[in-house]
Amino acid sequence: MTNPLTAARQALLARLQSISPDNGYLTGAGANVKSGWVNEILQERHHSFPLIVVQPDKSTRQPEAMGGGDITIPMAFNVVGAVQVGIDYEQAIDDLTLDLARCLLSQDLGPLSWGSPGMHSVAIAAPEIFPPGDGLAVATVLVRVEFSILTD
């Protein structure tokens, strides 16, 4: 049996991996999606940009018993996009911000087309852009994603 929490995280990663010009996006960031802690990944020397990191975060929602043995478990992630600082990096962070928003916001009515079974109540927060700093030559954008998983 597949853990529904793992399936939801993998669905999020797969959705982000679809970001490429071939799929109508501005960047090819989908070719460089990682799961883990942003500070650790950015300290690695062997990665390319643009980069997307999916980092666990604390949910603002509480688990709920739904009856019949079903429960709803909230999950939250910080989706962090990073671009290397250089000439016109502002345009690069704008492009990545737009790609993340378009990727994560479904245009579908009803069930989320890219979600795993049981995944619902998806919400994203407004993007937050951060300039280079802390000795890192990257600009970042953070988009918080939260959803619930109905399990049985």
Side-chain angles (χ1 to χ4, degrees), residues 2-149:
T2 301
N3 182 324
L5 303 178
T6 301
R9 182 178 44 77
Q10 290 172 339
L12 175 60
L13 290 168
R15 177 65 175 181
L16 292 166
Q17 289 168 345
S18 73
I19 297 176
S20 81
D22 290 344
N23 292 328
Y25 294 96
L26 299 173
T27 72
N32 199 17
V33 176
K34 298 181 183 287
S35 181
W37 299 100
V38 173
N39 59 341
E40 292 176 359
I41 291 172
L42 286 177
Q43 289 175 4
E44 294 174 2
R45 299 189 189 275
H46 304 292
H47 49 66
S48 59
F49 294 96
L51 168 71
I52 298 172
V53 179
V54 176
Q55 175 177 293
D57 194 20
K58 181 180 178 182
S59 178
T60 60
R61 303 174 190 172
Q62 299 297 318
E64 295 180 56
M66 304 302 288
D70 294 344
I71 58 173
T72 298
I73 300 174
M75 295 184 75
F77 295 93
N78 288 323
V79 176
V80 180
V83 298
Q84 200 162 23
V85 173
I87 297 173
D88 201 19
Y89 79 87
E90 291 93 350
Q91 179 68 46
I93 200 72
D94 288 348
D95 289 350
L96 185 53
T97 300
L98 180 60
D99 282 353
L100 289 173
R102 288 176 56 219
C103 178
L104 294 169
L105 286 174
S106 176
Q107 300 299 317
D108 304 327
L109 297 176
L112 191 63
S113 64
W114 56 267
S116 63
M119 190 174 175
H120 64 94
S121 303
V122 177
I124 73 167
E128 295 180 61
I129 297 175
F130 300 93
D134 294 328
L136 296 173
V138 297
T140 57
V141 56
L142 180 141
V143 179
R144 189 168 188 286
V145 180
E146 190 164 358
F147 47 84
S148 293
I149 307 301

